[in-house]
Amino acid sequence: MGKQVTLKNIADALGVSTMTVSRALNDRSNVDKKTKEKIIQKAKSMGYTPNRVAKSLVSRKTQTIGVVIPEITHAFFPEVVRGIEEVTYRSDYQLILTNANEQFEREQHAVNTLRSQQVDGILISSSQTVEDYAFYKEIVNSKTHLVFFDRCIQGIGASCVHVNDRESSELITRHLIEVHQYEKIAHLSGPREVTIGRERYMGYQEALEKSNLTENRDWIVEAGFKEEGGYQAMKKILELPQSDQPRAIVCVNDPVAFGAMEAIKEAGRKIPDDFAITGFSDEIRAPLVEVPLTTVHQPAYEVGRRAAEKLLKLIDGESEQPEDIEITATIQIRKSCGC
């Protein structure tokens, strides 16, 4: 491999100063258009690539952003990352993507590693095992630029971008009540310590209250956020005497709904004849399963885009105040609810 082409090499080839080359390649206004075009063409022909390390010493920025997601298998998160990358690419930032696998220890390690690499900011969706928020308070107090998305930790001075979880959960539960006249409705919930688990449960509760329906504690089963959790939670419902079983199931997300559907099928029961079921997120599999899943469509790309825009404003000093940015989700009606 040959030596890396430097600004001086380009300057010598054109008979101009290194400063002029630097100004031209950084699109500064104090270089005339013809000279700038000539320098850019010469840089391309010589195979010049910017030295990010040197540039970061001048700008005090590394042009990198860390992204921490709780799990890589949930189709929601890759779509969020696509939205993030679309914004950061246009601003010449590179992403460092890490997966916490729903474990707080791994999440801590990922965040500390990103900080040691001096990323300019961090975008994070917290894992379901987070119990101590002091770790995040310390990060915010250290002036590290931090924005949460989807799963937020509130009240610590950090911005968050998320969908209207509570309202959407209420709407999809009310669809089961008002359109299909179901009164016996279960909820396979997420952990209450995680914002989406808490908010979606509260939306389900509010729909029951507004319809004067009583919440049955036997029908509230924590399932986590994965298919296996949904499968096991639904098996607990199926163990109840048939006369005591609910008629409809509201699931905290699509993977939990898919697991529950598998348990229903194994038990020889049918959807929606025996159990109506709904999800939340509108994964790519939702319309493709044996009985297409009624669910809440989350605009994941938009969540990622807005979170990245907020973080870049923080990095550039354009935004100081923490914001709670809520994006409206929509209900996607399919056959699993009885429609």
Side-chain angles (χ1 to χ4, degrees), residues 27 78 109 112 116 128 133 141 220 275 280 284 298 316 319 324:
D27 200 24
H109 183 265
N112 286 332
S116 72
Q128 68 183 55
Y133 298 161
N141 291 339
I220 313 297
F275 296 101
F280 201 117
I284 192 170
Q298 286 180 284
D316 293 338
S319 174
D324 186 68

mmCIF file with all atom_site columns, all heavy atoms in Angstrom, residues 27 78 109 112 116 128 133 141 220 275 280 284 298 316 319 324:
data_model
loop_
_atom_site.group_PDB
_atom_site.id
_atom_site.type_symbol
_atom_site.label_atom_id
_atom_site.label_alt_id
_atom_site.label_comp_id
_atom_site.label_asym_id
_atom_site.label_entity_id
_atom_site.label_seq_id
_atom_site.pdbx_PDB_ins_code
_atom_site.Cartn_x
_atom_site.Cartn_y
_atom_site.Cartn_z
_atom_site.occupancy
_atom_site.B_iso_or_equiv
_atom_site.pdbx_formal_charge
_atom_site.auth_seq_id
_atom_site.auth_comp_id
_atom_site.auth_asym_id
_atom_site.auth_atom_id
_atom_site.pdbx_PDB_model_num
ATOM 1   N N   . ASP A 1 27  ? -14.811 23.461  2.104  1.00 0.00 ? 27  ASP A N   1
ATOM 2   C CA  . ASP A 1 27  ? -15.864 24.282  1.500  1.00 0.00 ? 27  ASP A CA  1
ATOM 3   C C   . ASP A 1 27  ? -15.970 25.666  2.141  1.00 0.00 ? 27  ASP A C   1
ATOM 4   O O   . ASP A 1 27  ? -17.060 26.163  2.404  1.00 0.00 ? 27  ASP A O   1
ATOM 5   C CB  . ASP A 1 27  ? -17.209 23.552  1.577  1.00 0.00 ? 27  ASP A CB  1
ATOM 6   C CG  . ASP A 1 27  ? -18.216 24.112  0.573  1.00 0.00 ? 27  ASP A CG  1
ATOM 7   O OD1 . ASP A 1 27  ? -17.776 24.692  -0.439 1.00 0.00 ? 27  ASP A OD1 1
ATOM 8   O OD2 . ASP A 1 27  ? -19.426 23.982  0.816  1.00 0.00 ? 27  ASP A OD2 1
ATOM 9   N N   . PRO A 1 78  ? -33.871 -2.224  13.899 1.00 0.00 ? 78  PRO A N   1
ATOM 10  C CA  . PRO A 1 78  ? -33.143 -1.958  12.651 1.00 0.00 ? 78  PRO A CA  1
ATOM 11  C C   . PRO A 1 78  ? -33.759 -0.828  11.828 1.00 0.00 ? 78  PRO A C   1
ATOM 12  O O   . PRO A 1 78  ? -33.040 -0.040  11.201 1.00 0.00 ? 78  PRO A O   1
ATOM 13  C CB  . PRO A 1 78  ? -33.229 -3.297  11.903 1.00 0.00 ? 78  PRO A CB  1
ATOM 14  C CG  . PRO A 1 78  ? -33.323 -4.307  12.995 1.00 0.00 ? 78  PRO A CG  1
ATOM 15  C CD  . PRO A 1 78  ? -34.169 -3.659  14.050 1.00 0.00 ? 78  PRO A CD  1
ATOM 16  N N   . HIS A 1 109 ? -21.731 -1.275  30.000 1.00 0.00 ? 109 HIS A N   1
ATOM 17  C CA  . HIS A 1 109 ? -20.440 -1.496  29.358 1.00 0.00 ? 109 HIS A CA  1
ATOM 18  C C   . HIS A 1 109 ? -20.398 -0.811  27.989 1.00 0.00 ? 109 HIS A C   1
ATOM 19  O O   . HIS A 1 109 ? -19.394 -0.175  27.621 1.00 0.00 ? 109 HIS A O   1
ATOM 20  C CB  . HIS A 1 109 ? -20.178 -2.999  29.213 1.00 0.00 ? 109 HIS A CB  1
ATOM 21  C CG  . HIS A 1 109 ? -18.837 -3.325  28.617 1.00 0.00 ? 109 HIS A CG  1
ATOM 22  N ND1 . HIS A 1 109 ? -18.672 -3.563  27.260 1.00 0.00 ? 109 HIS A ND1 1
ATOM 23  C CD2 . HIS A 1 109 ? -17.609 -3.421  29.175 1.00 0.00 ? 109 HIS A CD2 1
ATOM 24  C CE1 . HIS A 1 109 ? -17.398 -3.801  27.018 1.00 0.00 ? 109 HIS A CE1 1
ATOM 25  N NE2 . HIS A 1 109 ? -16.735 -3.722  28.161 1.00 0.00 ? 109 HIS A NE2 1
ATOM 26  N N   . ASN A 1 112 ? -20.163 3.025   28.499 1.00 0.00 ? 112 ASN A N   1
ATOM 27  C CA  . ASN A 1 112 ? -18.827 3.416   28.972 1.00 0.00 ? 112 ASN A CA  1
ATOM 28  C C   . ASN A 1 112 ? -17.777 3.280   27.874 1.00 0.00 ? 112 ASN A C   1
ATOM 29  O O   . ASN A 1 112 ? -16.865 4.103   27.763 1.00 0.00 ? 112 ASN A O   1
ATOM 30  C CB  . ASN A 1 112 ? -18.436 2.577   30.188 1.00 0.00 ? 112 ASN A CB  1
ATOM 31  C CG  . ASN A 1 112 ? -19.197 2.988   31.441 1.00 0.00 ? 112 ASN A CG  1
ATOM 32  O OD1 . ASN A 1 112 ? -19.600 4.141   31.579 1.00 0.00 ? 112 ASN A OD1 1
ATOM 33  N ND2 . ASN A 1 112 ? -19.415 2.053   32.346 1.00 0.00 ? 112 ASN A ND2 1
ATOM 34  N N   . SER A 1 116 ? -15.553 6.282   26.261 1.00 0.00 ? 116 SER A N   1
ATOM 35  C CA  . SER A 1 116 ? -14.085 6.211   26.226 1.00 0.00 ? 116 SER A CA  1
ATOM 36  C C   . SER A 1 116 ? -13.560 6.464   24.819 1.00 0.00 ? 116 SER A C   1
ATOM 37  O O   . SER A 1 116 ? -12.420 6.912   24.642 1.00 0.00 ? 116 SER A O   1
ATOM 38  C CB  . SER A 1 116 ? -13.596 4.850   26.734 1.00 0.00 ? 116 SER A CB  1
ATOM 39  O OG  . SER A 1 116 ? -13.877 3.821   25.797 1.00 0.00 ? 116 SER A OG  1
ATOM 40  N N   . GLN A 1 128 ? -34.676 -3.808  29.459 1.00 0.00 ? 128 GLN A N   1
ATOM 41  C CA  . GLN A 1 128 ? -35.750 -4.075  30.404 1.00 0.00 ? 128 GLN A CA  1
ATOM 42  C C   . GLN A 1 128 ? -35.239 -4.388  31.810 1.00 0.00 ? 128 GLN A C   1
ATOM 43  O O   . GLN A 1 128 ? -36.020 -4.476  32.749 1.00 0.00 ? 128 GLN A O   1
ATOM 44  C CB  . GLN A 1 128 ? -36.635 -5.226  29.906 1.00 0.00 ? 128 GLN A CB  1
ATOM 45  C CG  . GLN A 1 128 ? -35.971 -6.592  29.896 1.00 0.00 ? 128 GLN A CG  1
ATOM 46  C CD  . GLN A 1 128 ? -36.894 -7.660  29.314 1.00 0.00 ? 128 GLN A CD  1
ATOM 47  O OE1 . GLN A 1 128 ? -37.391 -7.525  28.201 1.00 0.00 ? 128 GLN A OE1 1
ATOM 48  N NE2 . GLN A 1 128 ? -37.148 -8.701  30.068 1.00 0.00 ? 128 GLN A NE2 1
ATOM 49  N N   . TYR A 1 133 ? -31.307 4.286   38.019 1.00 0.00 ? 133 TYR A N   1
ATOM 50  C CA  . TYR A 1 133 ? -31.177 5.366   37.045 1.00 0.00 ? 133 TYR A CA  1
ATOM 51  C C   . TYR A 1 133 ? -29.993 6.283   37.347 1.00 0.00 ? 133 TYR A C   1
ATOM 52  O O   . TYR A 1 133 ? -29.706 7.205   36.579 1.00 0.00 ? 133 TYR A O   1
ATOM 53  C CB  . TYR A 1 133 ? -32.462 6.195   36.989 1.00 0.00 ? 133 TYR A CB  1
ATOM 54  C CG  . TYR A 1 133 ? -33.680 5.410   36.547 1.00 0.00 ? 133 TYR A CG  1
ATOM 55  C CD1 . TYR A 1 133 ? -34.962 5.872   36.800 1.00 0.00 ? 133 TYR A CD1 1
ATOM 56  C CD2 . TYR A 1 133 ? -33.538 4.194   35.868 1.00 0.00 ? 133 TYR A CD2 1
ATOM 57  C CE1 . TYR A 1 133 ? -36.082 5.151   36.389 1.00 0.00 ? 133 TYR A CE1 1
ATOM 58  C CE2 . TYR A 1 133 ? -34.653 3.477   35.463 1.00 0.00 ? 133 TYR A CE2 1
ATOM 59  C CZ  . TYR A 1 133 ? -35.918 3.952   35.730 1.00 0.00 ? 133 TYR A CZ  1
ATOM 60  O OH  . TYR A 1 133 ? -37.017 3.241   35.323 1.00 0.00 ? 133 TYR A OH  1
ATOM 61  N N   . ASN A 1 141 ? -25.229 14.537  33.823 1.00 0.00 ? 141 ASN A N   1
ATOM 62  C CA  . ASN A 1 141 ? -24.501 15.555  34.600 1.00 0.00 ? 141 ASN A CA  1
ATOM 63  C C   . ASN A 1 141 ? -23.082 15.776  34.085 1.00 0.00 ? 141 ASN A C   1
ATOM 64  O O   . ASN A 1 141 ? -22.504 16.845  34.292 1.00 0.00 ? 141 ASN A O   1
ATOM 65  C CB  . ASN A 1 141 ? -24.456 15.159  36.081 1.00 0.00 ? 141 ASN A CB  1
ATOM 66  C CG  . ASN A 1 141 ? -25.822 15.232  36.733 1.00 0.00 ? 141 ASN A CG  1
ATOM 67  O OD1 . ASN A 1 141 ? -26.713 15.920  36.250 1.00 0.00 ? 141 ASN A OD1 1
ATOM 68  N ND2 . ASN A 1 141 ? -26.005 14.501  37.820 1.00 0.00 ? 141 ASN A ND2 1
ATOM 69  N N   . ILE A 1 220 ? -53.732 -10.492 33.745 1.00 0.00 ? 220 ILE A N   1
ATOM 70  C CA  . ILE A 1 220 ? -52.588 -9.599  33.549 1.00 0.00 ? 220 ILE A CA  1
ATOM 71  C C   . ILE A 1 220 ? -51.327 -10.421 33.814 1.00 0.00 ? 220 ILE A C   1
ATOM 72  O O   . ILE A 1 220 ? -51.026 -10.770 34.958 1.00 0.00 ? 220 ILE A O   1
ATOM 73  C CB  . ILE A 1 220 ? -52.613 -8.386  34.510 1.00 0.00 ? 220 ILE A CB  1
ATOM 74  C CG1 . ILE A 1 220 ? -53.993 -7.733  34.528 1.00 0.00 ? 220 ILE A CG1 1
ATOM 75  C CG2 . ILE A 1 220 ? -51.524 -7.389  34.119 1.00 0.00 ? 220 ILE A CG2 1
ATOM 76  C CD1 . ILE A 1 220 ? -54.431 -7.148  33.215 1.00 0.00 ? 220 ILE A CD1 1
ATOM 77  N N   . PHE A 1 275 ? -59.861 -16.914 20.624 1.00 0.00 ? 275 PHE A N   1
ATOM 78  C CA  . PHE A 1 275 ? -59.161 -15.758 21.194 1.00 0.00 ? 275 PHE A CA  1
ATOM 79  C C   . PHE A 1 275 ? -58.884 -14.735 20.096 1.00 0.00 ? 275 PHE A C   1
ATOM 80  O O   . PHE A 1 275 ? -58.253 -15.066 19.092 1.00 0.00 ? 275 PHE A O   1
ATOM 81  C CB  . PHE A 1 275 ? -57.809 -16.160 21.812 1.00 0.00 ? 275 PHE A CB  1
ATOM 82  C CG  . PHE A 1 275 ? -57.900 -17.089 22.988 1.00 0.00 ? 275 PHE A CG  1
ATOM 83  C CD1 . PHE A 1 275 ? -57.657 -18.441 22.834 1.00 0.00 ? 275 PHE A CD1 1
ATOM 84  C CD2 . PHE A 1 275 ? -58.216 -16.599 24.263 1.00 0.00 ? 275 PHE A CD2 1
ATOM 85  C CE1 . PHE A 1 275 ? -57.718 -19.304 23.916 1.00 0.00 ? 275 PHE A CE1 1
ATOM 86  C CE2 . PHE A 1 275 ? -58.287 -17.457 25.350 1.00 0.00 ? 275 PHE A CE2 1
ATOM 87  C CZ  . PHE A 1 275 ? -58.037 -18.814 25.190 1.00 0.00 ? 275 PHE A CZ  1
ATOM 88  N N   . PHE A 1 280 ? -48.342 -4.845  18.967 1.00 0.00 ? 280 PHE A N   1
ATOM 89  C CA  . PHE A 1 280 ? -47.926 -3.437  18.997 1.00 0.00 ? 280 PHE A CA  1
ATOM 90  C C   . PHE A 1 280 ? -46.546 -3.350  18.360 1.00 0.00 ? 280 PHE A C   1
ATOM 91  O O   . PHE A 1 280 ? -45.588 -3.907  18.894 1.00 0.00 ? 280 PHE A O   1
ATOM 92  C CB  . PHE A 1 280 ? -47.853 -2.948  20.452 1.00 0.00 ? 280 PHE A CB  1
ATOM 93  C CG  . PHE A 1 280 ? -47.919 -1.445  20.627 1.00 0.00 ? 280 PHE A CG  1
ATOM 94  C CD1 . PHE A 1 280 ? -48.970 -0.860  21.307 1.00 0.00 ? 280 PHE A CD1 1
ATOM 95  C CD2 . PHE A 1 280 ? -46.926 -0.626  20.124 1.00 0.00 ? 280 PHE A CD2 1
ATOM 96  C CE1 . PHE A 1 280 ? -49.032 0.519   21.502 1.00 0.00 ? 280 PHE A CE1 1
ATOM 97  C CE2 . PHE A 1 280 ? -46.966 0.739   20.300 1.00 0.00 ? 280 PHE A CE2 1
ATOM 98  C CZ  . PHE A 1 280 ? -48.027 1.326   20.990 1.00 0.00 ? 280 PHE A CZ  1
ATOM 99  N N   . ILE A 1 284 ? -42.611 -6.738  10.286 1.00 0.00 ? 284 ILE A N   1
ATOM 100 C CA  . ILE A 1 284 ? -42.767 -7.197  8.906  1.00 0.00 ? 284 ILE A CA  1
ATOM 101 C C   . ILE A 1 284 ? -43.548 -8.513  8.833  1.00 0.00 ? 284 ILE A C   1
ATOM 102 O O   . ILE A 1 284 ? -44.233 -8.806  7.856  1.00 0.00 ? 284 ILE A O   1
ATOM 103 C CB  . ILE A 1 284 ? -41.383 -7.347  8.229  1.00 0.00 ? 284 ILE A CB  1
ATOM 104 C CG1 . ILE A 1 284 ? -41.552 -7.533  6.727  1.00 0.00 ? 284 ILE A CG1 1
ATOM 105 C CG2 . ILE A 1 284 ? -40.567 -8.474  8.862  1.00 0.00 ? 284 ILE A CG2 1
ATOM 106 C CD1 . ILE A 1 284 ? -40.251 -7.440  5.957  1.00 0.00 ? 284 ILE A CD1 1
ATOM 107 N N   . GLN A 1 298 ? -45.986 1.399   14.486 1.00 0.00 ? 298 GLN A N   1
ATOM 108 C CA  . GLN A 1 298 ? -45.048 2.406   14.984 1.00 0.00 ? 298 GLN A CA  1
ATOM 109 C C   . GLN A 1 298 ? -44.193 2.928   13.832 1.00 0.00 ? 298 GLN A C   1
ATOM 110 O O   . GLN A 1 298 ? -43.538 2.134   13.152 1.00 0.00 ? 298 GLN A O   1
ATOM 111 C CB  . GLN A 1 298 ? -44.112 1.796   16.027 1.00 0.00 ? 298 GLN A CB  1
ATOM 112 C CG  . GLN A 1 298 ? -44.734 1.517   17.372 1.00 0.00 ? 298 GLN A CG  1
ATOM 113 C CD  . GLN A 1 298 ? -43.690 0.918   18.305 1.00 0.00 ? 298 GLN A CD  1
ATOM 114 O OE1 . GLN A 1 298 ? -43.346 -0.251  18.195 1.00 0.00 ? 298 GLN A OE1 1
ATOM 115 N NE2 . GLN A 1 298 ? -43.185 1.716   19.226 1.00 0.00 ? 298 GLN A NE2 1
ATOM 116 N N   . ASP A 1 316 ? -24.369 20.443  18.273 1.00 0.00 ? 316 ASP A N   1
ATOM 117 C CA  . ASP A 1 316 ? -24.033 21.722  17.654 1.00 0.00 ? 316 ASP A CA  1
ATOM 118 C C   . ASP A 1 316 ? -24.370 22.922  18.539 1.00 0.00 ? 316 ASP A C   1
ATOM 119 O O   . ASP A 1 316 ? -24.193 24.070  18.129 1.00 0.00 ? 316 ASP A O   1
ATOM 120 C CB  . ASP A 1 316 ? -24.761 21.866  16.314 1.00 0.00 ? 316 ASP A CB  1
ATOM 121 C CG  . ASP A 1 316 ? -24.248 20.867  15.278 1.00 0.00 ? 316 ASP A CG  1
ATOM 122 O OD1 . ASP A 1 316 ? -23.113 20.393  15.436 1.00 0.00 ? 316 ASP A OD1 1
ATOM 123 O OD2 . ASP A 1 316 ? -24.998 20.550  14.335 1.00 0.00 ? 316 ASP A OD2 1
ATOM 124 N N   . SER A 1 319 ? -29.574 23.347  20.827 1.00 0.00 ? 319 SER A N   1
ATOM 125 C CA  . SER A 1 319 ? -30.689 22.959  21.687 1.00 0.00 ? 319 SER A CA  1
ATOM 126 C C   . SER A 1 319 ? -30.159 22.599  23.067 1.00 0.00 ? 319 SER A C   1
ATOM 127 O O   . SER A 1 319 ? -29.275 21.766  23.198 1.00 0.00 ? 319 SER A O   1
ATOM 128 C CB  . SER A 1 319 ? -31.432 21.768  21.069 1.00 0.00 ? 319 SER A CB  1
ATOM 129 O OG  . SER A 1 319 ? -32.421 21.293  21.946 1.00 0.00 ? 319 SER A OG  1
ATOM 130 N N   . ASP A 1 324 ? -39.627 16.103  25.349 1.00 0.00 ? 324 ASP A N   1
ATOM 131 C CA  . ASP A 1 324 ? -40.339 14.834  25.207 1.00 0.00 ? 324 ASP A CA  1
ATOM 132 C C   . ASP A 1 324 ? -41.054 14.900  23.865 1.00 0.00 ? 324 ASP A C   1
ATOM 133 O O   . ASP A 1 324 ? -42.046 15.602  23.718 1.00 0.00 ? 324 ASP A O   1
ATOM 134 C CB  . ASP A 1 324 ? -41.340 14.646  26.352 1.00 0.00 ? 324 ASP A CB  1
ATOM 135 C CG  . ASP A 1 324 ? -41.999 13.273  26.313 1.00 0.00 ? 324 ASP A CG  1
ATOM 136 O OD1 . ASP A 1 324 ? -41.295 12.274  26.544 1.00 0.00 ? 324 ASP A OD1 1
ATOM 137 O OD2 . ASP A 1 324 ? -43.215 13.199  26.029 1.00 0.00 ? 324 ASP A OD2 1
#
